[in-house]
Amino acid sequence: MPSVSSASKFGRLVPKGVYAPLITPFNADQSVNIDTFKRHVQYIASAGVGIVALGSMGESVHLTHSERNKVVVAAREALDADPSLKDVPLVVGTGACSTYETIQLTQEAAERGADFAMVIAPGYFAGALNPKALKQFFVDVAEASPIPIIVYNYPGASAGLDINSDLMTEIAAASANIAGCKLTCGSVGKLTRLTYLRDDFAVLGGFVDFLGPSLLAGAAGGITGTANVAPKTCLKLYKDTMAALSGDGSVSLASAQQLQGVVSRADWVLQKVGISGTKYALEQVKGYGGVPRRPLLPFDEADGKGQKLLEDLQEILAIEKKL
């Protein structure tokens, strides 16, 4: 299959920094709330954080094919509506169970204004997907895509499929259109082994609780669900850590480490409550967020659990409020 040249305005280089995998808001009847989604896109992008639509936090697997396309259109429109946001990168999750539909979704996302596609391993037939099959899946998608591909390694959402550093190296070498990877496996060792794989290959951690160590190892940044609730603080952690590592004297390493501690504690709080808890927290902080699409149930706020969640987030929310 012939290679397809990249149509992204960023070329094949994934911009460094922090990205938020956005929640997808739903109406009371469980339909997608496009207006609220656009509002959230602008809120996150205005904080200087990159946009990831239709990731795991965005419940992409709960959306129909046509709904996913509508969300991409909405994200692009929200960014284009504000001239100051036109250069904010838009990453779209396009993974599906088959190579065929993944290619369709990727090409359609590109047509609708996505800059990069983030593709997770298809886990339904995980037992049949040996390293050769996994490599072929990503190469087929990348070679058919008009925009660069970010390989999304998340064993928890792909029936335990975990792409090790050897296989990721093979996948990246097989197509120049594979621009990076997101590691939601939490392996700092794997991240470290991959950061200098290729000059134009961006390695992004999937949790902000190890952003500092990731940047020390040469990572391009991180994609974190916590940025839905505290985008400015997550970006400050990135900037402060990079400044401290540069040794320019503007930020001390101790200060960056202290902020990493605050962010790590908040990230763990939200990891434990997942999508429903993150949406609940956003509802309390911003007045929207709502509930997940069934079969996921709303966050159980009874018996003080809602109040406890907000109390556990006060440390990071206090910093966010000042920024």
Side-chain angles (χ1 to χ4, degrees):
M1 187 180 296
S3 297
V4 178
S5 61
S6 169
S8 169
K9 64 174 173 283
F10 300 99
R12 289 195 177 93
L13 292 175
V14 179
K16 295 180 178 182
V18 172
Y19 293 76
L22 303 192
I23 59 108
T24 301
F26 299 108
N27 295 305
D29 63 358
Q30 292 272 283
S31 60
V32 178
N33 187 329
I34 292 295
D35 289 341
T36 299
F37 178 74
K38 286 184 174 182
R39 176 183 172 189
H40 192 48
V41 169
Q42 292 186 332
Y43 164 59
I44 297 298
S46 296
V49 171
I51 300 299
V52 178
L54 301 174
S56 301
M57 182 64 71
E59 302 178 71
S60 57
V61 295
H62 290 166
L63 273 61
T64 66
H65 191 112
S66 62
E67 284 177 327
R68 290 173 73 162
N69 282 334
K70 288 177 182 176
V71 167
V72 181
V73 171
R76 185 73 268 161
E77 288 178 348
L79 293 174
D80 290 347
D82 185 339
S84 69
L85 306 180
K86 63 182 178 63
D87 291 328
V88 173
L90 173 58
V91 180
V92 174
T94 61
C97 283
S98 71
T99 302
Y100 182 81
E101 187 176 18
T102 302
I103 289 173
Q104 276 191 320
L105 286 165
T106 302
Q107 292 176 339
E108 290 162 2
E111 291 168 0
R112 288 160 177 77
D115 297 306
F116 301 91
M118 187 175 74
V119 180
I120 193 170
Y124 191 89
F125 292 112
L129 293 181
N130 58 26
K132 180 179 178 181
L134 274 176
K135 176 182 174 182
Q136 192 64 56
F137 168 73
F138 287 109
V139 171
D140 286 346
V141 174
E143 293 295 283
S145 173
I147 53 177
I149 299 297
I150 298 170
V151 176
Y152 181 17
N153 186 53
Y154 185 11
S158 55
L161 289 172
D162 189 3
I163 302 170
N164 63 33
S165 54
D166 293 336
L167 180 55
M168 189 70 78
T169 298
E170 289 185 27
I171 291 170
S175 174
N177 205 33
I178 295 176
C181 63
K182 177 190 177 186
L183 301 179
T184 311
C185 49
S187 173
V188 181
K190 183 190 301 183
L191 179 145
T192 303
R193 290 189 291 275
L194 293 170
T195 48
Y196 299 103
L197 183 61
R198 230 175 50 205
D199 289 343
D200 60 348
F201 187 80
V203 180
L204 299 154
F207 298 104
V208 77
D209 63 357
F210 62 94
L211 181 62
S214 297
L215 297 176
L216 176 62
I223 301 176
T224 167
T226 299
N228 279 284
V229 177
K232 294 177 182 178
T233 307
C234 291
L235 183 61
K236 177 176 171 56
L237 174 60
Y238 172 84
K239 290 182 174 180
D240 284 4
T241 303
M242 292 302 291
L245 292 175
S246 74
D248 66 7
S250 62
V251 179
S252 70
L253 182 58
S255 175
Q257 290 172 325
Q258 183 179 36
L259 183 58
Q260 177 68 80
V262 172
V263 173
S264 294
R265 288 188 287 274
D267 196 54
W268 178 234
V269 169
L270 292 175
Q271 284 181 47
K272 290 186 289 184
V273 297
I275 294 169
S276 61
T278 301
K279 284 189 160 186
Y280 175 83
L282 188 60
E283 183 78 42
Q284 308 311 306
V285 174
K286 295 295 293 180
Y288 63 84
V291 299
R293 181 173 271 186
R294 298 293 177 94
L296 294 183
L297 295 177
F299 176 71
D300 181 8
E301 62 177 319
D303 301 322
K305 289 189 284 290
Q307 183 61 34
K308 178 67 163 56
L309 174 58
L310 294 178
E311 288 175 357
D312 288 344
L313 292 174
Q314 279 309 304
E315 190 178 26
I316 195 170
L317 292 176
I319 295 173
E320 184 74 14
K321 189 175 181 179
K322 294 176 182 178
L323 295 175

